[in-house]
Amino acid sequence: MSFDGIVTRAITKELNETIQSGRIMKIYQPTETELVFTVRSNRKKHTLLLSAHPSYARFHLTDDQYHNPKEPPMLCMLLRKHLVGGFIERIEQVDMERIVKFHIRTRNEVGDETMKTLIIEVMGKHSNILLVDEEEGHMLDSIKHLPPSQNRHRTIMPGQPYKLPPEQGKINPVDLEPEAFIRKLDFNSGKMDKQILNVVMGFSPMMTKEIVHRAGLGGSQAVKEAYREIREIILNHEYDPQIHRGEKEQFYVIPLHAFSDDVEKFDSVSVMLDDYYSGKAERDRVKQQAGDLHRFLKNERDKNKRKIKKHETTLKKSESAEEYQKLGELLTAHMHMVKTGDESVTVVDYYDPDQSEMTIELNPNKTPSENAQNYFQTYAKLKKSKEVVQKEIQKAEDEILYFDRLIQQVETAREEDIEEIREELREQGYLKKKPAAKGNRKNKPQKPKPESFESTDGTLIYVGRNNKQNEYLTNRMANKMDIWLHAKDIPGSHVVIRDEEPSEDTLFEAAQLAANFSKSSKSSSVPVDYTRIRHVKKPSGAKPGFVTYDQQQTLFVTPDAAFIKRLKKKD
C-alpha cells in the first residue's frame, strides 16, 4: 500500500477530468474522519470520498455505500453551509506532495460570490481535511485540530491562517532532470533506495525500491535510465492503475516489476483505490466499535469451557456412586459387628465371587445406622448430580456453540450489524437493557436488513450477517421453495437464493457467499449444504439463529474474496 505523491498526482488529474466544474449537491460525514460529497458533473452524479483515516487516508470517487448518522456532525453542517451549491473550479496538487486543494466557487449568506478551498492532507496518522476561506486566508474548520500547545510551528484551529506543513528539502521530480538526479546520489555510500527517498519529493519507499530493481546491478547509467522511465510516465500522465495480489496486496499507478506477477488492472485510479480500500476502513471502525463486544463474547465462551471442565470432574466422581451404595448395603448386612466409636470395620464382600474381605471407613461420632445412611445419602446425591451435571454440560456446550456463532458474526460484521448483535444479547439477558429515554415514545423496532447480492445471471441472493437477520431471512422473508444454504457444521450466515430453480452458476455463487461468511472463510474446499426453505426448522426453545434441516445436498467450494467483491450488490 503506497498512497504517495505519484498516486496523488494521478488521482488529481483523474478528478480534474471527471468532476472539475461539477456542482456540489450533497455533503455527508459518515464517520469522524470521512466526508462524502455528491457532485453533479456532465449530467452525471459522482460520489467523492475524502478520508483522513489514520491508516487509510485517501481521496477518490467511490461506488461504496456509506451509512450516515441521524444527526450530522458540526463540521458537516459547516461544510454544507459553505459548499453545497458551489462549483469545483479546479483541483490542484501542491508540488508532488500528498496535499490537494479543491478550489470551490460558491456564494455567501447575502448571495455574493466567494471562493473556498477544501484541502486534504494525506499524511498517515496526521492526515487532515480543512476548509479555508481563500479571501481571508484563514481556516474555517478541520477534521482534526492542532492547538499551539501541541505544535508551535503549525496551528490548525478555526480562525488561524493556513500554513503548509514544513518542507523536507526534497526536489519535485517534474523539475529534477535525470542528469541532476544522478549528481545528487553518492554511489559509494550504498543504500541507493534510501538516498533516492531523501532526494525526490513524492516518491515512496516502494517507488525507490522499484527504481533500484529496474536498474539491476548496473551503475549510475542504469539508475539514471530507470529514473528517466518513471519520470516520463509522471510527466506524460501515462498511468496504469493495478493491484498486485498475493500474500500482501500492493496498489500503484505505475507497473511494478519488483512485485508479484499476479496483477489485476483497472480502468481508472478511483476504481483501483475503491477496490483496494473497500471494507478495510469499515472493518477497522467495526473492530474499534465492537472490541468490547468481542472480548465479552470470548470471555463468556471461555467461562462455559471452564464450567465444562469443572462439571466433568464432578461427573467423574459421580461414576463411583454405585460403590457408595455397595458400602451402605455391606455395612447394613454387618451391622452386628459395629458399635459407636469404631473408625472402621472389616467385612466379607459378598458381591465378590471369592468372598474377599474389605475394610469400610466409619465416622466414630456416628452410630452404625447413621454411618450406613451416610453412604446411602452420598450414593443418592452422586446419582442425582450425574443427571444434573450431564444437563449442565449440554447447556454449556450449547452456549459455546452460540457464542462461537456470535464471535464469527462480529468478526465479519458491518457497522449496522453490531447494534443488532448487542440488541440480541440484551434480549437474551446477557447484556443490560438500555434504559428507556424519558418523555420519548418507544421506537418501533426496525426490520433486519440482510445483505443482498445479485448473481451473474441476475438472481437475487440474500445473506444474513447476524442472528436477527438470519432468522428474519429464513423464517419470514424467504418463500418455502427458495433455496437455503449454510456452511456445513460450522458457524456461518444463512444464505437464500430467491429462485426455486436457480442455475448451477447461481448455486455455486451462493455457496461461495455461504463459505465466505462463515468460520471457514480462509479455508479451501469448504462443504456447503443446500436445501429448500421448507426443510429448514427452528427447534422449540433454540437459541437465535439456530436451525435444523434435512433433504440437503452438499457443494464444496473455496471462498474467493475477490470474486465475491465482483458480485453486484443490490442497494
Side-chain angles (χ1 to χ4, degrees):
M1 179 177 74
S2 186
F3 201 114
D4 62 7
I6 298 173
V7 174
T8 304
R9 180 178 169 89
I11 189 62
T12 301
K13 180 178 185 296
E14 183 174 291
L15 292 179
N16 270 308
E17 293 172 348
T18 311
I19 61 172
Q20 186 181 11
S21 301
R23 187 175 189 182
I24 297 172
M25 308 300 290
K26 294 177 182 177
I27 301 175
Y28 299 102
Q29 188 178 351
T31 69
E32 289 181 358
T33 58
E34 291 175 326
L35 294 169
V36 175
F37 293 72
T38 300
V39 181
R40 187 168 182 81
S41 178
N42 297 320
R43 298 182 179 180
K44 286 184 179 180
K45 281 187 180 179
H46 304 273
T47 303
L48 172 66
L49 169 70
L50 302 182
S51 173
H53 191 283
S55 301
Y56 308 115
R58 65 207 189 274
F59 63 101
H60 56 85
L61 299 179
T62 180
D63 287 328
D64 275 357
Q65 300 294 316
Y66 290 85
H67 298 273
N68 303 305
K70 292 178 182 178
E71 296 294 328
M74 292 295 292
L75 176 64
C76 182
M77 291 193 287
L78 180 82
L79 292 171
R80 287 175 179 176
K81 173 185 172 183
H82 289 285
L83 301 183
V84 168
F87 293 86
I88 300 172
E89 290 279 279
R90 69 185 189 282
I91 306 166
E92 65 167 338
Q93 180 183 17
V94 176
D95 293 326
M96 194 63 70
E97 297 286 5
R98 292 175 294 170
I99 303 172
V100 170
K101 297 180 177 181
F102 291 77
H103 297 277
I104 300 164
R105 174 170 50 85
T106 184
R107 293 186 181 276
N108 60 21
E109 293 92 335
V110 295
D112 295 334
E113 196 171 272
T114 179
M115 291 297 296
K116 299 290 189 293
T117 305
L118 188 66
I119 303 169
I120 179 166
E121 301 174 347
V122 181
M123 301 187 298
K125 65 180 181 179
H126 302 295
S127 298
N128 211 343
I129 303 169
L130 314 94
L131 180 64
V132 175
D133 188 309
E134 282 195 16
E135 294 168 5
E136 301 292 334
H138 65 253
M139 290 173 279
L140 297 172
D141 209 345
S142 58
I143 286 271
K144 301 171 187 174
H145 292 167
L146 192 63
S149 58
Q150 290 186 23
N151 190 329
R152 59 190 178 88
H153 299 293
R154 188 174 187 238
T155 300
I156 300 175
M157 295 290 288
Q160 293 293 318
Y162 174 75
K163 293 180 182 178
L164 288 167
E167 292 186 4
Q168 296 177 304
K170 298 182 181 182
I171 306 171
N172 190 333
V174 172
D175 304 321
L176 186 60
E177 297 285 345
E179 291 76 15
F181 165 73
I182 286 297
R183 289 197 293 271
K184 295 282 183 182
L185 305 178
D186 182 357
F187 283 85
N188 294 319
S189 298
K191 296 183 178 178
M192 195 58 58
D193 57 327
K194 291 186 178 178
Q195 286 193 54
I196 298 170
L197 189 67
N198 293 328
V199 168
V200 187
M201 180 188 296
F203 276 24
S204 60
M206 190 166 71
M207 186 70 261
T208 61
K209 287 174 183 175
E210 175 66 17
I211 290 174
V212 172
H213 177 82
R214 290 191 182 200
L217 298 174
S220 61
Q221 193 60 35
V223 174
K224 176 183 171 182
E225 180 59 26
Y227 171 75
R228 186 195 64 75
E229 288 176 4
I230 298 297
R231 183 172 180 268
E232 285 297 314
I233 292 173
I234 296 169
L235 290 175
N236 299 323
H237 294 288
E238 296 172 344
Y239 307 115
D240 186 9
Q242 53 192 257
I243 294 178
H244 291 256
R245 305 291 185 187
E247 190 172 332
K248 189 177 180 183
E249 287 188 346
Q250 299 282 2
F251 71 80
Y252 213 58
V253 294
I254 293 174
L256 299 173
H257 301 168
F259 290 87
S260 71
D261 294 330
D262 184 8
V263 176
E264 183 177 353
K265 298 196 174 188
F266 295 86
D267 295 332
S268 74
V269 183
S270 283
V271 173
M272 174 194 73
L273 293 171
D274 214 20
D275 183 278
Y276 181 84
Y277 284 108
S278 181
K280 286 185 170 65
E282 184 182 31
R283 285 301 316 145
D284 188 77
R285 288 194 300 274
V286 170
K287 195 173 179 182
Q288 290 179 18
Q289 292 174 11
D292 62 324
L293 184 60
H294 194 266
R295 284 191 298 275
F296 171 79
L297 294 171
K298 286 188 77 175
N299 288 340
E300 288 296 310
R301 182 187 63 184
D302 293 344
K303 196 189 295 181
N304 278 283
K305 286 182 176 179
R306 290 194 296 272
K307 272 186 190 176
I308 289 176
K309 255 188 175 177
K310 188 178 177 182
H311 288 323
E312 282 175 342
T313 303
T314 306
L315 191 63
K316 194 172 182 182
K317 189 178 177 182
S318 71
E319 288 172 359
S320 60
E322 282 74 15
E323 184 66 22
Y324 286 93
Q325 183 186 28
K326 174 183 170 181
L327 292 172
E329 289 176 350
L330 288 175
L331 187 56
T332 301
H334 295 83
M335 195 78 73
H336 61 283
M337 297 173 60
V338 186
K339 62 180 182 295
T340 302
D342 288 347
E343 294 184 352
S344 64
V345 62
T346 301
V347 300
V348 176
D349 182 4
Y350 50 73
Y351 288 100
D352 183 5
D354 297 331
Q355 300 288 295
S356 60
E357 290 187 340
M358 69 178 300
T359 300
I360 301 174
E361 300 296 326
L362 301 173
N363 185 338
N365 297 319
K366 291 184 177 182
T367 66
S369 178
E370 286 173 342
N371 271 295
Q373 285 304 313
N374 186 54
Y375 279 115
F376 286 126
Q377 285 168 4
T378 302
Y379 159 70
K381 185 179 176 182
L382 289 176
K383 186 179 179 183
K384 187 176 180 182
S385 71
K386 184 176 182 180
E387 295 171 3
V388 172
V389 165
Q390 284 174 334
K391 286 179 182 177
E392 287 297 314
I393 288 174
Q394 184 59 55
K395 184 180 174 183
E397 286 174 347
D398 291 343
E399 292 277 289
I400 289 169
L401 288 174
Y402 176 60
F403 288 119
D404 273 339
R405 285 203 302 275
L406 288 174
I407 288 167
Q408 180 269 326
Q409 289 166 11
V410 168
E411 288 173 349
T412 60
R414 302 164 297 173
E415 284 182 272
E416 62 266 35
D417 302 327
I418 293 298
E419 184 52 36
E420 288 182 337
I421 295 173
R422 290 187 193 276
E423 184 57 35
E424 177 189 330
L425 288 167
R426 292 187 197 106
E427 291 170 359
Q428 294 295 309
Y430 295 104
L431 294 178
K432 288 182 180 178
K433 290 191 176 182
K434 282 183 176 179
K438 291 181 180 178
N440 287 348
R441 290 184 179 179
K442 190 175 180 181
N443 291 330
K444 186 179 178 182
Q446 291 188 335
K447 288 181 182 178
K449 292 183 179 178
E451 189 169 9
S452 55
F453 295 85
E454 192 175 88
S455 70
T456 49
D457 67 6
T459 305
L460 272 173
I461 304 172
Y462 288 96
V463 178
R465 299 296 295 272
N466 56 44
N467 287 332
K468 280 185 171 287
Q469 293 176 22
N470 285 335
E471 292 213 331
Y472 179 75
L473 175 60
T474 300
N475 301 329
R476 297 181 62 186
M477 187 175 168
N479 298 321
K480 65 177 182 179
M481 295 301 287
D482 286 344
I483 303 299
W484 181 91
L485 303 94
H486 195 286
K488 187 180 179 68
D489 298 332
I490 48 174
S493 292
H494 293 201
V495 177
V496 171
I497 304 172
R498 295 307 301 269
D499 193 334
E500 295 181 13
E501 299 296 337
S503 65
E504 285 189 16
D505 286 344
T506 295
L507 195 59
F508 174 80
E509 289 165 10
Q512 278 272 342
L513 288 166
N516 185 73
F517 294 108
S518 78
K519 199 174 181 180
S520 294
S521 59
K522 304 296 182 187
S523 305
S524 59
S525 196
V526 179
V528 175
D529 286 341
Y530 67 95
T531 186
R532 295 197 184 277
I533 283 287
R534 66 179 183 179
H535 301 306
V536 182
K537 309 291 180 187
K538 179 179 179 177
S540 177
K543 291 283 188 184
F546 182 80
V547 294
T548 59
Y549 56 90
D550 54 27
Q551 306 290 316
Q552 73 272 20
Q553 297 181 63
T554 306
L555 282 172
F556 290 84
V557 295
T558 298
D560 184 347
F563 170 75
I564 287 166
K565 275 184 185 178
R566 292 193 291 270
L567 287 178
K568 183 182 177 183
K569 292 185 181 181
K570 296 288 286 183
D571 297 306

